[in-house]
Amino acid sequence: MPHPTVNPAEEYTARLSVHEAQVKALTKRDERLASARLLVGLVIVAIVVASLFVHAPLWWTIPALLIFAWLVSKHASIRRARTRAARAAAFNRRGLDRINDRWVGGGQTGERFLDAHHVYAADLDLFGRGSLFELLSAARTRMGEQTLAACSGGRRRDP
């Protein structure tokens, strides 16, 4: 049974819209959690000030501190999720740019890997603006870029 063909542009567009919606929703949650953290922090300060002036028991801060610690943990996980969704959206946006031939100038050029003494490196456009490296590179780390450059015929240069 033949598999249905998938249009890459439609797939990238669909995934992009999903990830952008995730970023938007997670940004709202991030803002609410930041406000909640501020509010709980102010409550903690109020309890401490009250305990100093009214001699109220300081143990009342324990539940507020526990809530604050939970909010900090939850807030960090929301920010990580938003960062992942933003990276996924950027990946799909870059894929659409490649399909629509708008990729030049949007990625890493890899010029640091260019060997000026190589006989035909400039003719092949392996590195630099509008190069094969810029077209193909989806690396997020220097090690990933070095690995791709080594496969492309560039010199390995550790900064």
Side-chain angles (χ1 to χ4, degrees):
M1 180 171 192
H3 293 282
T5 58
V6 177
N7 181 343
E10 290 174 3
E11 187 67 24
Y12 275 122
T13 302
R15 290 180 183 189
L16 178 61
S17 64
V18 166
H19 293 300
E20 285 178 338
Q22 287 176 339
V23 169
K24 186 176 180 181
L26 290 168
T27 299
K28 285 182 182 179
R29 288 182 69 187
D30 176 46
E31 291 168 355
R32 282 184 294 201
L33 282 171
S35 297
R37 282 178 58 180
L38 178 63
L39 180 65
V40 172
L42 291 174
V43 167
I44 292 170
V45 169
I47 292 172
V48 170
V49 168
S51 71
L52 293 175
F53 292 110
V54 185
H55 302 293
L58 198 55
W59 64 267
W60 286 2
T61 59
I62 293 173
L65 287 170
L66 291 174
I67 291 170
F68 187 80
W70 179 81
L71 285 170
V72 167
S73 172
K74 189 69 174 169
H75 197 202
S77 69
I78 294 297
R79 285 189 166 184
R80 283 191 303 272
R82 185 181 66 186
T83 300
R84 282 192 306 270
R87 282 183 182 163
F91 177 83
N92 287 290
R93 199 173 296 113
R94 180 122 166 89
L96 278 172
D97 287 346
R98 280 193 306 270
I99 289 171
N100 296 323
D101 204 25
R102 294 184 311 230
W103 57 272
V104 176
Q108 295 294 325
T109 61
E111 289 177 342
R112 71 178 187 274
F113 301 112
L114 183 60
D115 184 0
H117 302 293
H118 195 278
V119 178
Y120 51 88
D123 294 334
L124 293 176
D125 289 330
L126 294 177
F127 302 102
R129 182 173 166 84
S131 66
L132 180 64
F133 186 89
E134 185 179 4
L135 174 64
L136 296 179
S137 181
R140 293 191 315 229
T141 63
R142 292 183 80 71
M143 183 181 291
E145 288 178 355
Q146 290 170 352
T147 302
L148 179 60
C151 294
S152 300
R155 288 193 307 182
R156 185 180 183 116
R157 291 190 186 164
D158 295 327

